[in-house]
Amino acid sequence: MAEKKVTTKAAATKATATKAAATTKKATTTKRVCAAKTAVKVSISAENVGFRAGDVYQALASAEKALTVKEIAKAANITETEVLLGAGWLLKEGKIKGENDVIALA
């Protein structure tokens, strides 16, 4: 009889460890989802992207040199996502060029 109790305790300990691991995995997944929900939302309309293109162009023109996306975002006081949207617009129009992680006026 003593052997059965030991086996039962071992099985119970293993089951508890498995439940704890599943709970930890679920908590980690929940944290990732919550972090994704707090992401900045950017309105993607032709008008908004056009304004961001103007912000990017003005930042580059005032700097008079090539800047990184982060530097443009700081200079124009917009997010890096908005910089990329505006830069895409300007690249399509041939107003800027991008090389090695920097953007410059064309």
Side-chain angles (χ1 to χ4, degrees), residues 6-101:
V6 172
T7 305
T8 305
K9 280 186 177 181
T13 304
K14 186 176 181 180
T16 304
T18 304
K19 285 181 183 178
T23 303
T24 303
K25 185 176 181 182
K26 186 176 181 181
T28 304
T29 304
T30 303
K31 286 180 185 176
R32 286 186 204 149
V33 170
C34 292
K37 287 182 181 178
T38 59
V40 177
K41 293 183 180 180
V42 177
S43 175
I44 301 178
S45 66
E47 184 178 20
N48 187 34
V49 176
F51 285 129
R52 295 313 140 236
D55 294 340
V56 170
Y57 192 86
Q58 291 299 322
L60 289 168
S62 65
E64 298 179 350
K65 65 176 184 173
L67 298 173
T68 64
V69 171
K70 189 175 272 190
E71 291 170 337
I72 295 169
K74 187 175 180 181
N77 197 24
I78 58 177
T79 66
E80 291 182 24
T81 303
E82 291 172 323
V83 170
L84 294 172
L85 285 170
W89 180 294
L90 294 170
L91 280 167
K92 175 115 171 91
E93 290 184 348
K95 305 249 180 196
I96 62 171
K97 58 184 175 180
E99 295 179 19
N100 299 332
D101 301 333

